[in-house]
Amino acid sequence: MPEHTPKPRKRDTGEQGNPGEFATTARTEADVDLATDPHDPAVDWDHEDAGISWEYPTSDADSTFHENGTIADRVLLDGTVEHHDDDGTLTHVTLDDGSTIMINGDPDHPYVVHRRLAEFAYETHGLTPGEVVARFAELSPALATHDPDNADRVACAIAERMADDDLYEAEALCESAAQQHALSSWMQQHPQPPAPCMVAGARPATLDEARVMRDKLLQTLAEQCQDQSLPTGPGYIPVITIDGGRPSLSVDVCNVPDSMMRSRYDGNETLSPVGEELRARVETASGHAGVRVEAVDLESDLQRGIRRLRTHSQRLHEHLDAA
């Protein structure tokens, strides 16, 4: 990674900011020229000030404070408002479209982790590769303990993208790491009982048998979500497929963001470690149901739509060629 001269930071100069949830010092004012076009290539942007809009309130007048001096509502440059209790706990966030994200002081919430990692991204300019890895492990102990090699690759990829001034990809990596951190942390707090030792069930011989197995599997997946062996965010859909006149069962896991499932540092070519664990949990749930599952597919709605469109197109061409 190219060497960079570190910029002076407020923690080095002794400048004080507002106490807050994230143990970072935030400015009370930001010098932003609203008449300047951010897309003008002739403008020389300072990453310290312009790169992460949420680090700085719009002005001291827009943000509010509790009587004890702690931040109450921190207004960010992108219109987001962070709401805090008088003890500094982040309770919820109001986005610029009016929607609300409940945080309730959860340090493993994706918003919280994303915010920390975005600040970390700009710190990488002044860190050695070893310090980058160590600092990332401090910010995301869930990823560092779940799969240290994956965590190290994410940290180094963020630093490399920042060194190349590829801010978009660095931001995408931070978002992906935050999503993976949240699910990894949840899984560490909610272990799944192992499946009973038993021989894998046979494939259904008829469509009626497949339907009975599908219903049993659907019930087991719902029970595992209820007892928190499986996360409730994704959807688990048993699917019957008939190939050569013989039915088989698989499970589609939907509503899981690509940023959570894929290892973005390698171009989304591989499934992330937390994605692999989620798939393994679904396979274990199938074992509890005594149902043989041929495959567990983790795809976003967009990926699934493209795959089905390609399959439909291929079948259509086959019929046209046969005619």
Side-chain angles (χ1 to χ4, degrees):
M1 184 175 67
E3 294 183 0
H4 296 266
T5 302
K7 296 181 180 181
R9 294 183 174 272
K10 294 180 283 298
R11 62 167 174 263
D12 301 320
T13 62
E15 179 183 346
Q16 297 298 315
N18 301 319
E21 170 72 14
F22 302 100
T24 58
T25 303
R27 294 179 180 174
T28 57
E29 294 182 355
D31 297 326
V32 179
D33 185 0
L34 298 181
T36 303
D37 182 4
H39 300 291
D40 185 353
V43 176
D44 184 19
W45 287 95
D46 182 357
H47 294 168
E48 179 81 12
D49 292 332
I52 308 174
S53 61
W54 58 33
E55 186 182 359
Y56 311 111
T58 55
S59 71
D60 195 20
D62 290 324
S63 295
T64 61
F65 299 84
H66 292 291
E67 292 182 357
N68 62 3
T70 60
I71 190 74
D73 297 329
R74 176 181 282 118
V75 182
L76 311 182
L77 291 181
D78 61 359
T80 301
V81 183
E82 297 177 347
H83 307 276
H84 301 77
D85 283 340
D86 57 5
D87 62 357
T89 300
L90 179 64
T91 58
H92 62 286
V93 173
T94 303
L95 302 181
D96 58 350
D97 62 0
S99 59
T100 300
I101 301 175
M102 300 304 299
I103 307 295
N104 295 325
D106 180 9
D108 295 314
H109 192 282
Y111 178 89
V112 177
V113 180
H114 189 188
R115 194 182 193 285
R116 288 173 172 168
L117 292 180
E119 172 68 11
F120 155 78
Y122 283 86
E123 293 179 355
T124 59
H125 286 298
L127 301 177
T128 65
E131 290 171 338
V132 165
V133 169
R135 179 61 178 152
F136 184 88
E138 292 177 4
L139 296 174
S140 180
L143 287 184
T145 56
H146 183 263
D147 192 316
D149 292 338
N150 174 64
D152 293 352
R153 285 192 290 267
V154 172
C156 292
I158 292 173
E160 290 169 1
R161 300 302 189 277
M162 294 301 296
D164 294 338
D165 216 28
D166 189 352
L167 304 186
Y168 174 83
E169 187 60 28
E171 158 67 13
L173 281 162
C174 290
E175 179 184 1
S176 177
Q179 293 283 351
Q180 293 183 39
H181 170 102
L183 186 55
S184 295
S185 178
W186 186 92
M187 288 183 171
Q188 290 170 0
Q189 298 169 14
H190 300 86
Q192 182 186 34
C197 296
M198 59 182 299
V199 179
R203 287 182 58 178
T206 66
L207 183 57
D208 287 339
E209 286 185 8
R211 287 170 175 163
V212 171
M213 291 181 179
R214 178 199 58 191
D215 293 344
K216 174 62 175 176
L217 182 57
L218 190 61
Q219 178 183 351
T220 301
L221 291 171
E223 291 172 350
Q224 294 243 328
C225 287
Q226 188 173 15
D227 66 17
Q228 295 188 315
S229 294
L230 287 173
T232 56
Y236 308 96
I237 306 174
V239 177
I240 298 175
T241 303
I242 299 178
D243 186 12
R246 184 75 180 271
S248 63
L249 282 166
S250 62
V251 178
D252 281 355
V253 183
C254 58
N255 297 330
V256 184
D258 281 340
S259 58
M260 181 185 296
M261 293 189 300
R262 300 291 168 181
S263 297
R264 192 175 181 93
Y265 51 74
D266 65 0
N268 290 340
E269 294 297 326
T270 60
L271 195 64
S272 68
V274 71
E276 293 176 352
E277 181 173 344
L278 178 58
R279 182 169 60 186
R281 287 196 175 213
V282 175
E283 293 171 347
T284 300
S286 303
H288 282 281
V291 175
R292 175 179 173 179
V293 172
E294 301 298 329
V296 176
D297 297 318
L298 279 72
E299 292 181 314
S300 67
D301 291 338
L302 176 61
Q303 286 179 318
R304 183 176 297 105
I306 292 175
R307 175 172 58 84
R308 290 178 176 175
L309 181 62
R310 288 174 177 171
T311 301
H312 175 75
S313 177
Q314 181 181 354
R315 295 290 176 85
L316 180 61
H317 284 293
E318 289 175 356
H319 286 299
L320 291 175
D321 292 341

